[in-house]
Amino acid sequence: MTSPTLPDPEQLAARILRGERAAVASGLNLLDNKLAEARNRSARLLAALSGERWLSRGHLIGVTGPPGAGKSSLVSAMIREWRLSGKTVGVLAVDPSSRPELGGGALLGDRIRIKNSSHDEGLFIRSLASRNQLGGVATEVWPMSWLMLACFDIVIIETVGVGQTEIDIAEIGDTVCYVAQPASGDTIQYLKSGIIEIPDIFAVNKCDLGAPARKTASEIGRSAPRHDRRENWDYPVCLVSATMNTGIRQLQEHCERHREFLANAGLLGKLRTRHQSAWVVRLLKEEFGTFGLELAGGRAVVGERLRENPSSQFAEYERLRQHILSRFMSVNQPSSLTKKEHLDEQTIV
Amino acid sequence: MVAARKNRDQPWLMRTYSGHSSAKASNTLYRTNLAKGQTGLSVAFDLPTQTGYDADSPLAKGEVGKVGVPISHIEDMDQLFDQIPLDQMNTSMTINATAAWLLSLYIGLAQRRGIDPTRLSGTTQNDIIKEYLSRGTYIYPPGASMRLIADTINYTVKHVPKWNPTNICSYHLQEAGATPVQELAYALCTAMAVLDRVKASGEIKPEAFPQVVERISFFVNAGMRFVEECCKLRAFGEMWDELTLTRYKVEDPRLRRFRYGVQVNSLGLTEAQPENNVQRIVLEMLAVTLSKRARARAIQLPAWNEAMGLPRPWDQQWALRMQQVMAFETDLLEYEDIFDGSPVIAAKVKALIEGAKREIENVEAQGGIIAAIESGYVKRELVGSHMNRLRAIESGDLKIIGVNCFQETAESPLTVGSDGGIMKTDPAAEREQIERLQAHRRSRNDSEVRAALQGLTDAAKSGENIMPSSIRCALAGVSTGEWGDSLRGVFGEFRPPTGIDIAIDSREVLGKKDQVTDLRERVANTGNALGRPLKLLVGKPGLDGHSNGAEQISVKARDVGFEVVYDGIRLTPQQIAQAAQEEGVHVVGLSILSGSHMELVESVLQELRLRDLASVPVIAGGIIPREDAERLMALGVRAVYTPKDFSLNAIMGDIVDVIRECNGLDRIGLLH
Ligand code: B12
Ligand SMILES: Nc1nc2c(ncn2[C@@H]2O[C@H](COP(=O)(O)OP(=O)(O)OP(=O)(O)O)[C@@H](O)[C@H]2O)c(=O)[nH]1
Ligand SMILES: [Mg+2]
């Protein structure tokens, strides 16, 4: 049995930075690969890609909302505009996997809606299954989005909103856009749940349907806090129609405005650092559970280390992993990390 | 020997669905068929004509003249009906998205020959709604399609009164897996949507509306369960009668009659022991002829070699003779309805009506058939029904002789001929059609063409009836692609939901359960060995709309644990290769039933090589003759599957092994 050949990570990184599609594809394959040697090379690939660009470049936009709300159609309409203005776009489209006891398979159906029939070298779509991992979004999405951030101007992550996914998506995207389905129970449910505070932009789609869309928009307008408790960002609630192509420019402007807002307030880099640490936490939790994570000092320590050393998430993950492994060996001894390192994790939130 | 009674009923119209290579070759075929006693024509068009592309469009490559006749402009139409008097012929055209155009060519030709269009009789299929659900030759979004249907109805009712402008089709729904109840429900929902649209257009005076209702005819299917099918047709008649009376207030019962034509079920016709299809076809014909009250107006039958490839003239003759034997040798046409008064039949009819009414209410509650198509609901229901059918075949609950039982057979003398028992279309047809088209373009008056096309675009935008400007285009020598593109420019294009996102645990039987469990393990273990879950791309290159196989393979693959990417029908080899790259799949599976597999597979392989993906294994399935399968394997295709490979589980096991082999792992081998 020979294992399939894996690409050289440094060379691959150089090709990805030049925007070579074949390299982007094999980079994504590598990041998805769980074999020990592949994980090794993934870390090297990401290390080679990391840098200032991960704190300041591009725009990561999370698009979420109930099934069938028109997320893909809206993404497609926005992409058309971005492509016209010459921006390149990478998309990660996440679909649910069936339960493990039912085989864990998945039908990845967003491509067809996102892609218009013409051939376009400036658009790259990778579909991904949620794979029943802790949250609603597979852990692979983080590194994959970072890879895309290294070579596309806009990176969009589409997920079906099912409660947990919103929380996850808020830990990936710079901007979270919630697509609401007019007059649907899902949206009402959503309004009642605490998750309403997550999105930065609300898009009520299918406004071509008239009254139901306007009603939903006003309901959201009433329920959503006008200002983020933490920041000075006004939540826009906009009416759009993907099929009629109405309101798309405005929606896009809201997205761009939000990014500018983050950048001007000096929040973009902080937010991304926080997302890097969220990923490390998640990986550690998946591998070692809450107990393991505590052995490494918990969320707070991870957060702090990444703030001190942004974009070092791979090295950090490896380091903490080794640390936990060794602590598992001698679990009875007191933690080597001191109390004072347990900082408040909510520094920028 | 008892002679037949004198006062027999008139037999139904007997047709053979045909057309291939070129207008000239098809014309010869039609004239021979008419000489053999066929009483009407049924035109099969090629896929570029059906999807509004010219023969020289890159999208038409390999498809010109393959599954039907290419009609690019009025001269082709003229040649197709050479020496056939249009005013005496009843012509049925299987044409949908471009129906308004082909009808315009037909009317334009009649005008040119000095024939008054009021004397034309025939049918344009023109049920674009079912194209989204089954047949696949849609172009424009549903709203525009509804408008095109309404425009042709509004026009013909006034100017070509003997024409059936639309034939609401349930035939294709059954071919996509529909149950009798689904066939009834969705066809009637479509009929309502069409009539409502015509009514809303306000072009017809209320007192003339019953004439519109009368012009609506149906195209129905009949499968092997012929008692149930016979009841379905009686149910159709009763439901239509009630619907037209209550919803459309048609008082005259003659205008409420359910008029229908038939093609019997072809989905159940087999590649294995194909001679058995003859019995199947004859039995299926019984369903639509036995009951006088629900007898078909027109019948066309498939041929014994349906699942092998296109029929040759002799195969079609055999099918025509089946009808003639039934009509002229039996005493069928001498009796009144032989089921009237049967409580068994009445009970079955009632049950079907109740089921259909429930489903109609369900669809209406979702906002009608168009909304239920856009949301993917109806398509999902069909994919689910078809999945149940295939599972029953795989488990043996549904017996198919020669396929999942009684497989032993002596060698068939029917399939050993040098042609392999099927029709080979003329390989030079595409080139000749392109040359003809290009010569035609040079010969016409360009400014007339431009003006006619401008008129068409204006009408499309303004909402004025599309027919007059289309007829003007026909007479000016506009081509099929020009007509199609002009309307694309105004209406846009549309891709309907694929329907494969059915819930995994909603259907109880999983085929052979132990095999499924075994497969899930194989898929998971192989994924683990390769480092990530197995990912399959199912691709449908070309204009081919046969989606059943691709859908069922996709659903099955998901059920056994694959991550599956399937983007629907009508993609270019380039789009498929690009998807394979972006998605990082372990295997590419192509499904091609249109006969263009050699050209299309070759271009997909080439596009993959261009993207450094030569190492990704490609497999193919569909209607692929054995010698072609060998040629494909020689090109590098890893496996080829045809309808006789009825076990989807076995195919899945095989795909896992293909992936393993290409990645240096050992094959696991056959399932138990
Ligand atoms: C059902 C059917 C239709 C339905 C299709 C519904 C749908 N949405 O799929 C309808 C009624 C719409 C239809 C229409 C037409 N049809 Co038709 N149709 C058939 C029929 C009867 C069965 C095909 C089928 O669905 N079988 C069931 C599925 C599950 O089987 P399958 O696709 O073969 O798949 C199996 C294997 O092949 C394999 N497989 C297939 N794909 C793949 C892919 C992968 C990855 C793998 C691993 C395996 C695999 O696995 C499956 C399991 O057994 C065949 C004849 C026949 N009996 O086979 C004609 C047939 C395919 N049709 C034919 C024609 C000509 C047409 C039309 C083009 C006619 C016309 N001129 O308009 C139209 C237009 C369709 C279009 N847009 O392209 C011809 C094609 C001729 C040729 N190849 O030379 C056939 C062969 C009939 C004939 N003898 O004339 N058709
Ligand atoms: N009327 C109307 N329909 C729309 C609009 N946008 C999308 N749709 C339809 O809504 C359905 C779902 O659209 P998608 O874009 O696939 O929605 P989605 O949210 O990505 O769906 P999932 O990924 O399956 O959750 C499709 O039938 C679209 O045609 C719109 O603006 N108006
Ligand atoms: Mg989507």
Side-chain angles (χ1 to χ4, degrees):
Chain A
M1 183 182 127
T2 60
S3 72
T5 46
L6 294 169
D8 174 88
E10 285 75 24
Q11 276 174 18
L12 194 60
R15 290 174 57 209
I16 289 171
L17 290 174
R18 286 199 299 271
E20 280 182 38
R21 302 177 70 82
V24 174
S26 62
L28 293 171
N29 294 349
L30 184 64
L31 294 179
D32 203 10
N33 198 321
K34 296 289 171 304
L35 297 179
E37 178 52 22
R39 288 179 71 135
N40 237 320
R41 291 186 191 219
S42 290
R44 275 167 59 198
L45 171 66
L46 287 159
L49 289 175
S50 75
E52 180 51 26
R53 64 174 73 83
W54 276 355
L55 298 181
S56 60
R57 188 185 183 280
H59 192 182
L60 269 172
I61 303 173
V63 177
T64 185
K71 300 178 291 295
S72 302
S73 310
L74 266 185
V75 166
S76 174
M78 290 201 283
I79 288 173
R80 215 177 303 131
E81 299 284 328
W82 273 312
R83 293 298 299 128
L84 281 177
S85 66
K87 292 204 166 106
T88 58
V89 184
V91 181
L92 289 169
V94 187
D95 273 313
S97 297
S98 61
R99 297 199 305 274
E101 68 276 19
L102 292 172
L107 293 167
L108 307 172
D110 291 314
R111 275 190 84 78
I112 177 181
R113 292 257 168 243
I114 296 176
K115 190 141 181 99
N116 40 39
S117 45
S118 69
H119 178 75
D120 180 359
E121 291 288 330
L123 169 63
F124 191 109
I125 305 170
R126 164 74 56 119
S127 320
L128 206 73
S130 64
R131 299 187 183 156
N132 301 299
Q133 290 168 5
L134 275 181
V137 172
T139 320
E140 293 80 39
V141 173
W142 276 261
M144 288 185 172
S145 67
W146 294 324
L147 184 151
M148 284 190 160
L149 200 54
C151 54
F152 297 110
D153 300 323
I154 311 276
V155 178
I156 300 176
I157 298 146
E158 181 191 327
T159 61
V160 179
V162 284
Q164 181 59 47
T165 34
E166 279 89 345
I167 298 172
D168 285 350
I169 205 74
E171 293 193 321
I172 304 176
D174 306 329
T175 302
V176 175
C177 173
Y178 181 85
V179 181
Q181 168 89 302
S184 105
D186 290 311
T187 304
I188 310 300
Q189 237 359 74
Y190 184 81
L191 294 175
K192 286 184 187 151
S193 74
I195 307 167
I196 183 104
E197 290 173 16
I198 286 173
D200 304 297
I201 296 166
F202 289 90
V204 180
N205 190 31
K206 311 195 185 182
C207 73
D208 49 296
L209 301 181
R214 286 194 300 274
K215 185 160 174 280
T216 304
S218 74
E219 276 166 6
I220 295 175
R222 261 183 285 131
S223 329
R226 287 312 297 164
H227 293 287
D228 187 304
R229 270 177 290 119
R230 299 150 298 210
E231 313 294 349
N232 273 323
W233 169 252
D234 255 334
Y235 293 89
V237 180
C238 44
L239 278 164
V240 293
S241 165
T243 43
M244 307 306 286
N245 210 28
T246 39
I248 305 299
R249 260 311 310 155
Q250 288 89 318
L251 177 58
Q252 235 170 337
E253 276 161 18
H254 287 308
C255 288
E256 282 159 16
R257 209 164 47 77
H258 183 251
R259 190 195 179 285
E260 257 165 56
F261 158 79
L262 291 174
N264 294 343
L267 289 170
L268 187 63
K270 283 190 193 161
L271 194 63
R272 287 189 177 174
T273 320
R274 202 181 128 230
H275 295 171
Q276 294 168 351
S277 72
W279 174 74
V280 174
V281 165
R282 208 178 134 117
L283 269 186
L284 293 176
K285 242 170 119 174
E286 256 175 32
E287 228 175 326
F288 305 106
T290 324
F291 178 65
L293 180 63
E294 284 311 316
L295 285 181
R299 264 172 209 281
V301 167
V302 180
E304 197 202 354
R305 296 202 62 102
L306 275 151
R307 274 196 299 280
E308 277 166 13
N309 213 348
S311 303
S312 68
Q313 61 267 47
F314 309 97
E316 205 48 52
Y317 162 66
E318 265 316 313
R319 202 190 64 81
L320 290 171
R321 190 167 174 269
Q322 293 309 328
H323 177 75
I324 296 171
L325 284 174
S326 68
R327 294 276 295 133
F328 265 128
M329 305 292 172
S330 53
V331 95
N332 291 326
Q333 284 153 37
S335 165
S336 62
L337 297 167
T338 61
K339 245 297 165 332
K340 85 168 182 17
E341 281 172 297
H342 287 257
L343 294 170
D344 175 16
E345 60 173 310
Q346 302 279 318
T347 318
I348 65 157
V349 180
Chain B
M1 190 69 186
V2 185
R5 249 175 46 195
K6 294 259 157 44
N7 55 341
R8 295 161 62 87
D9 291 326
Q10 275 291 315
W12 51 89
L13 216 55
M14 299 183 193
R15 293 180 167 134
T16 315
Y17 183 39
S18 53
H20 66 86
S21 302
S22 65
K24 197 164 174 210
S26 302
N27 173 263
T28 313
L29 177 67
Y30 293 168
R31 285 192 287 130
T32 346
N33 286 350
L34 290 170
K36 284 178 186 162
Q38 184 178 307
T39 50
L41 287 179
S42 171
V43 183
F45 295 97
D46 71 356
L47 291 173
T49 306
Q50 294 189 50
T51 48
Y53 295 113
D54 277 335
D56 55 358
S57 156
L59 292 166
K61 193 161 171 281
E63 314 263 18
V64 179
K66 271 265 165 60
V67 293
V69 56
I71 299 293
S72 304
H73 46 78
I74 195 165
E75 305 310 329
D76 287 344
M77 199 59 134
D78 192 21
Q79 204 166 51
L80 186 66
F81 290 96
D82 184 34
Q83 298 174 56
I84 298 175
L86 296 185
D87 47 348
Q88 290 160 40
M89 190 41 56
N90 186 303
T91 307
S92 161
M93 298 191 234
T94 300
I95 195 73
N96 293 279
T98 54
W101 171 238
L102 273 295
L103 179 59
S104 296
L105 288 172
Y106 198 72
I107 294 172
L109 179 64
Q111 288 179 0
R112 225 169 66 170
R113 288 188 184 174
I115 296 167
D116 184 349
T118 57
R119 296 175 58 202
L120 297 177
S121 71
T123 306
T124 32
Q125 190 167 83
N126 203 19
D127 168 358
I128 313 179
I129 304 313
K130 62 84 175 66
E131 296 294 324
Y132 302 121
L133 295 173
S134 165
R135 206 171 161 282
T137 64
Y138 45 78
I139 307 175
Y140 314 112
S145 295
M146 286 301 291
R147 171 191 164 183
L148 289 174
I149 300 174
D151 279 359
T152 46
I153 295 176
N154 284 329
Y155 185 84
T156 54
V157 166
K158 286 179 204 142
H159 305 285
V160 201
K162 288 198 289 176
W163 198 264
N164 296 312
T166 177
N167 216 345
I168 306 293
C169 298
S170 78
Y171 168 79
H172 310 83
L173 304 179
Q174 181 174 129
E175 295 295 299
T179 62
V181 163
Q182 289 174 327
E183 241 192 283
L184 283 163
Y186 303 143
L188 292 173
C189 283
T190 304
M192 283 189 273
V194 167
L195 284 173
D196 291 353
R197 180 69 174 75
V198 171
K199 207 168 185 180
S201 75
E203 282 192 45
I204 308 282
K205 291 199 197 77
E207 60 274 22
F209 201 71
Q211 271 71 52
V212 175
V213 174
E214 195 230 349
R215 289 319 315 157
I216 302 289
S217 56
F218 288 77
F219 185 53
V220 177
N221 206 324
M224 283 305 288
R225 297 172 52 83
F226 69 88
V227 179
E228 184 175 30
E229 293 291 48
C230 183
C231 295
K232 176 185 78 188
L233 288 155
R234 291 169 74 94
F236 252 132
E238 286 183 26
M239 293 181 80
W240 185 241
D241 186 71
E242 187 190 321
L243 188 87
T244 48
L245 179 63
T246 53
R247 192 175 174 111
Y248 301 108
K249 310 282 180 283
V250 179
E251 300 294 340
D252 183 348
R254 280 169 310 169
L255 304 184
R256 301 201 304 265
R257 271 195 302 233
F258 180 73
R259 300 178 308 127
Y260 75 97
V262 172
Q263 154 109 6
V264 301
N265 179 290
S266 321
L267 182 64
L269 301 181
T270 62
E271 179 191 12
Q273 301 181 28
E275 61 282 359
N276 295 336
N277 292 331
V278 172
Q279 296 86 289
R280 296 191 178 104
I281 295 165
V282 172
L283 289 170
E284 289 169 343
M285 183 175 26
L286 283 179
V288 296
T289 51
L290 275 183
S291 167
K292 179 173 175 175
R293 267 205 311 133
R295 186 169 293 148
R297 301 287 171 121
I299 298 182
Q300 57 191 36
L301 297 179
W304 68 277
N305 53 357
E306 168 77 10
M308 296 163 51
L310 291 170
R312 301 159 300 183
W314 177 77
D315 308 316
Q316 294 199 318
Q317 175 189 312
W318 192 357
L320 174 64
R321 296 290 184 250
M322 293 176 207
Q323 297 200 44
Q324 291 167 331
V325 168
M326 181 82 84
F328 302 122
E329 292 189 18
T330 75
D331 53 356
L332 183 75
L333 295 173
E334 296 172 12
Y335 294 92
E336 288 307 303
D337 195 290
I338 58 175
F339 295 114
D340 277 355
S342 157
V344 179
I345 297 285
K348 183 70 197 172
V349 172
K350 185 160 170 272
L352 287 169
I353 291 179
E354 281 166 6
K357 281 190 171 166
R358 266 197 304 277
E359 186 56 7
I360 291 175
E361 276 168 26
N362 180 11
V363 170
E364 294 293 290
Q366 296 179 41
I369 190 85
I370 300 290
I373 286 173
E374 286 177 342
S375 72
Y377 167 78
V378 185
K379 183 66 181 167
R380 276 196 297 274
E381 291 298 300
L382 296 179
V383 171
S385 294
H386 199 180
M387 179 178 75
N388 292 341
R389 172 181 169 269
L390 291 187
R391 281 179 179 173
I393 295 174
E394 190 156 6
S395 69
D397 291 345
L398 180 63
K399 295 213 165 14
I400 312 277
I401 308 307
V403 175
N404 63 0
C405 57
F406 307 113
Q407 289 118 324
E408 320 58 37
T409 176
E411 195 183 359
S412 161
L414 284 178
T415 52
V416 293
S418 61
D419 56 4
I422 51 170
M423 168 91 182
K424 296 268 156 74
T425 50
D426 181 359
E430 182 160 317
R431 188 176 37 80
E432 284 168 17
Q433 181 67 13
I434 292 176
E435 282 165 10
R436 237 177 96 78
L437 170 64
Q438 291 175 344
H440 168 79
R441 283 203 197 106
R442 285 190 297 272
S443 74
R444 55 189 193 173
N445 179 328
D446 280 340
S447 63
E448 258 174 49
V449 167
R450 269 196 306 276
L453 283 171
Q454 187 58 50
L456 177 69
T457 310
D458 293 345
K461 283 187 184 148
S462 73
E464 155 199 340
N465 194 307
I466 210 80
M467 287 300 293
S469 57
S470 296
I471 296 171
R472 185 171 160 216
C473 286
L475 291 168
V478 161
S479 71
T480 298
E482 289 163 342
W483 187 87
D485 284 344
S486 300
L487 296 192
R488 280 184 180 89
V490 181
F491 298 143
E493 288 180 77
F494 182 76
R495 294 177 69 79
T498 59
I500 59 168
D501 48 339
I502 48 178
I504 196 167
D505 46 1
S506 69
R507 327 270 154 175
E508 264 157 31
V509 265
L510 269 175
K512 286 198 172 171
K513 206 157 195 160
D514 45 339
Q515 289 192 344
V516 170
T517 316
D518 179 10
L519 280 167
R520 285 179 178 166
E521 263 170 44
R522 291 182 187 202
V523 171
N525 292 342
T526 307
N528 288 339
L530 298 179
R532 60 193 174 105
L534 297 189
K535 203 169 182 184
L536 161 72
L537 173 74
V538 177
K540 283 215 45 87
L543 297 179
D544 179 18
H546 291 92
S547 57
N548 288 338
E551 289 154 7
Q552 297 301 324
I553 292 283
S554 300
V555 170
K556 185 68 180 200
R558 187 272 312 256
D559 285 3
V560 300
F562 278 92
E563 296 185 352
V564 183
V565 182
Y566 169 59
D567 285 346
I569 59 172
R570 285 163 58 188
L571 297 174
T572 61
Q574 201 185 26
Q575 287 171 321
I576 290 173
Q578 193 177 357
Q581 179 179 58
E582 293 179 15
E583 296 295 352
V585 296
H586 290 97
V587 56
V588 175
L590 302 174
S591 181
I592 307 170
L593 284 83
S594 69
S596 308
H597 43 268
M598 289 311 305
E599 296 88 339
L600 289 168
V601 173
E602 218 178 324
S603 0
V604 172
L605 290 172
Q606 193 188 337
E607 291 289 336
L608 286 172
R609 278 194 298 271
L610 281 176
R611 290 172 176 75
D612 287 343
L613 295 175
S615 62
V616 175
V618 174
I619 57 177
I623 303 296
I624 303 179
R626 192 174 333 125
E627 62 192 80
D628 288 356
E630 282 159 14
R631 286 163 64 201
L632 290 177
M633 302 280 282
L635 289 174
V637 171
R638 294 302 178 122
V640 176
Y641 304 94
T642 65
K644 66 177 181 317
D645 301 305
F646 69 93
S647 166
L648 295 181
N649 286 342
I651 294 179
M652 292 301 134
D654 233 35
I655 297 179
V656 173
D657 273 349
V658 165
I659 297 174
R660 294 181 68 89
E661 207 165 56
C662 292
N663 287 283
L665 301 171
D666 293 332
R667 293 180 77 96
I668 304 176
L670 295 181
L671 294 168
H672 303 297

